[in-house]
């Protein structure tokens, strides 16, 4: 089965937007284009249901139902229970709240392992706990490859280890970490695994049950939807946390790690992402599958398309002596998040030329400050990052390659 790209692109208004015509988008790891199903739901919510939800009058009841639908359907796609899904303003803020909620679960002198491959979202708030008596152990990346090594992790555990925080996929080198294996290791030591899935989820939603993570986070504005962060927390675990909401919310798990009132409209429209996934599934397959099965099939479909494009881009980059690929230069265990450093020109010069060629991409440290420090890459100018997802076309990759040929 091959991804029907014209069908996919027809679901994204950005591809028919006149002001974006000619521009190829390669900053998807910063935030993806939203799909029409989500945009329609958000617009409808604002026009018809923008009232306090869960009252018995129709506009309110419907608003509440839309929110509940998003919790339920997200859970079905991620293969967890609806009560284990939480929506907060962003992944950074969600981790911040979790760190405060989890600190009382631990004693002074307890240890947490925090990877140095993370975006600061899954690093800073944990590290700050060192000021409160928690010992923070750093899991450094290999300075040459940027990879996290499992044998290195093994040596960091102790009887006092309570948690390991790491990314599913790095937002600079695009490498996929073996979440299942790492989570199992953590569990053997009685520790929790906290996984930042922000880099991973835009390339296919994970089966969280299969991964075995205790906490899994990602950002819906990078998965074709609203500017929200989604957190999965195992039910038994959230009840051990300190309530971060109003005192009378104690024990109400949907509220405990959402101190601010949630964004009703964005939550209510988040299921638009799954309407899109359902539409893609229905277009390609002629059967009745459950959401977990659909998700598995979509993952394969998306990954095959992305990998073919990634292979082409990496082959071009490997053929150039004037560029350094940061991280692995093959498609194995890798998602299409590709960072490079030009060898003969400055990042700024190359970036300016690429912009002239109507290429939208990113440059800098991408808040992945610690991985860049470990790899001894200067934060300023940092790297040039090209990231794409399943709606990207081979024509756009060729536009990028043509741009790089001029710019490098
Ligand atoms: C890998 C990764 N983790 C976390 C974040 C932070 O997400 P948010 O903007 O929702 O706080 C980002 C944002 O770029 C990211 O790329």
């Amino acid at each position: 089965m091959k991804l029907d790209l014209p069908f996919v692109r027809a679901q994204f208004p950005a591809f028919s937007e006149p002001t974006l015509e000619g521009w190829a988008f390669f900053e998807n790891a910063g935030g993806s284009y939203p799909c029409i199903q989500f945009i329609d739901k958000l617009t409808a919510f604002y026009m018809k249901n923008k009232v306090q939800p869960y009252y018995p009058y129709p506009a309110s009841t419907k608003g509440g139902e839309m929110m509940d639908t998003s919790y339920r359907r997200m859970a079905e796609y991620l293969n967890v229970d609806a009560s284990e899904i939480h929506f907060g303003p962003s992944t950074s803020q969600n981790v911040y709240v979790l760190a405060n909620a989890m600190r009382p679960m631990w004693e002074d002198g307890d240890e947490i392992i925090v990877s140095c491959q993370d975006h600061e979202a899954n690093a800073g708030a944990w590290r700050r706990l060192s000021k409160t008596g928690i010992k923070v152990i750093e899991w450094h990346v290999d300075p040459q490859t940027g990879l996290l090594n499992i044998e290195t992790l093994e040596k960091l555990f102790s009887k006092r280890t309570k948690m390991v925080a790491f990314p599913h996929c790095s937002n600079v080198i695009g490498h996929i970490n073996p979440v299942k294996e790492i989570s199992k290791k953590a569990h053997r030591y009685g520790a929790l695994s906290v996984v930042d899935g922000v880099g991973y989820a835009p390339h296919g939603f994970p089966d969280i049950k299969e991964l075995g993570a205790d906490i899994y986070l990602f950002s819906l504005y990078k998965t074709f939807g609203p500017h929200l962060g989604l957190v999965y927390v195992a039910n038994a675990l959230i009840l051990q946390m300190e309530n971060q909401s109003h005192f009378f919310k104690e024990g109400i798990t949907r509220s405990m790690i959402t101190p601010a009132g949630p964004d009703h409209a964005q939550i209510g429209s988040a299921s638009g992402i799954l309407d899109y996934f359902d539409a893609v599934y229905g277009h390609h397959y002629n059967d009745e599958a459950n959401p977990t099965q659909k998700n598995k099939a979509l993952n394969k479909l998306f990954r095959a398309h992305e990998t073919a494009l990634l292979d082409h881009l990496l082959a071009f980059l490997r053929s150039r002596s004037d560029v350094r690929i940061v991280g692995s230069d093959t498609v194995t265990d890798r998602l299409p998040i590709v960072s490079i450093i030009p060898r003969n020109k400055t990042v700024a010069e190359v970036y300016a030329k690429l912009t002239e060629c109507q290429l939208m991409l990113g440059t800098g440290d991408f808040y992945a400050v610690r991985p860049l420090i470990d790899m001894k890459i200067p934060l300023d100018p940092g790297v040039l990052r090209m990231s794409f997802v399943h709606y990207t076309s081979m024509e756009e990759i060729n536009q990028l390659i043509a741009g790089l040929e001029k710019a490098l």
Side-chain angles (χ1 to χ4, degrees), residues 29-30 90-93 119 121 169 171 196 198-199 219 221-222 227 385:
S90 69
T91 295
S92 306
Q93 212 154 315
H119 178 288
C169 173
N171 69 325
D196 175 352
V198 176
S219 304
Y221 69 96
K222 304 190 197 244
H227 203 121
R385 184 178 75 177

Side-chain angles (χ1 to χ4, degrees), residues 27-31 88-95 117-122 167-172 196-200 217-222 227-230 337 366-368 385:
E27 214 332 56
N28 290 277
S90 69
T91 295
S92 306
Q93 212 154 315
N94 288 340
V95 175
Q117 201 190 55
D118 272 285
H119 178 288
E120 195 61 15
N122 197 29
H168 195 166
C169 173
S170 150
N171 69 325
V172 275
D196 175 352
V198 176
Y200 184 90
L217 309 107
F218 65 96
S219 304
L220 299 179
Y221 69 96
K222 304 190 197 244
H227 203 121
L228 283 181
L230 182 151
I337 302 168
F366 303 100
Y367 291 8
R385 184 178 75 177

Side-chain angles (χ1 to χ4, degrees), residues 103-122:
R103 173 62 185 92
M105 290 167 53
W106 303 326
E107 306 286 335
D108 285 3
D110 279 347
E111 298 174 7
I112 58 175
I113 299 172
V114 182
S115 104
C116 292
Q117 201 190 55
D118 272 285
H119 178 288
E120 195 61 15
N122 197 29

Side-chain angles (χ1 to χ4, degrees), residues 193-378:
S193 65
V194 178
V195 183
D196 175 352
V198 176
Y200 184 90
H203 308 280
F205 276 14
D207 180 330
I208 295 178
K209 193 168 279 171
E210 162 74 18
L211 288 177
D214 299 288
I215 297 178
Y216 192 97
L217 309 107
F218 65 96
S219 304
L220 299 179
Y221 69 96
K222 304 190 197 244
T223 65
F224 327 114
H227 203 121
L228 283 181
L230 182 151
V231 194
Y232 155 80
V233 185
N235 254 332
L237 176 57
I238 203 161
L239 288 167
Q240 295 170 41
M241 295 182 189
E242 185 180 84
N243 173 30
Q244 298 299 301
S245 187
H246 304 307
F247 75 92
F248 44 83
K249 299 282 191 180
E250 182 68 49
I252 302 173
T253 52
R254 188 179 281 186
S255 301
M256 282 171 64
I257 54 166
T258 315
D263 187 320
H264 304 144
Q266 295 204 80
I267 294 174
S269 53
S271 67
I273 300 168
L274 309 173
D275 295 341
Y276 164 64
F277 285 173
D278 280 352
V280 178
Y281 186 86
H283 181 76
H284 291 82
Y285 301 96
N286 212 358
D287 59 21
E288 286 297 316
N290 69 35
T292 314
Q293 292 164 332
K294 284 184 193 173
N295 190 36
K296 204 166 259 173
L298 290 173
N299 263 274
K300 272 199 193 144
L301 209 53
F302 293 166
R303 184 68 65 81
H305 174 77
E306 289 182 2
T307 303
L309 270 55
L310 179 61
D311 204 20
H312 186 52
L313 177 62
L314 287 176
F316 164 75
L317 292 170
R318 280 195 306 268
S319 75
R320 305 284 303 203
S321 56
D322 48 7
V323 71
R324 168 183 167 195
I325 303 172
V326 181
S328 161
D329 64 359
T330 71
V331 297
T332 310
D333 293 333
R334 205 189 199 297
L335 291 175
I337 302 168
V338 182
S339 296
I340 56 167
I341 301 174
R343 292 192 197 276
N344 298 343
K345 295 203 178 146
T346 65
V347 167
E349 281 169 329
V350 174
Y351 188 84
K353 195 76 190 164
L354 293 172
T355 308
E356 269 174 38
C357 298
Q358 293 191 296
L359 290 156
M360 299 186 270
L361 34 83
T363 178
D365 61 44
F366 303 100
Y367 291 8
V369 168
R370 295 175 203 273
L372 293 192
I373 290 175
D374 264 12
M375 288 189 279
K376 299 190 172 43
I377 295 173

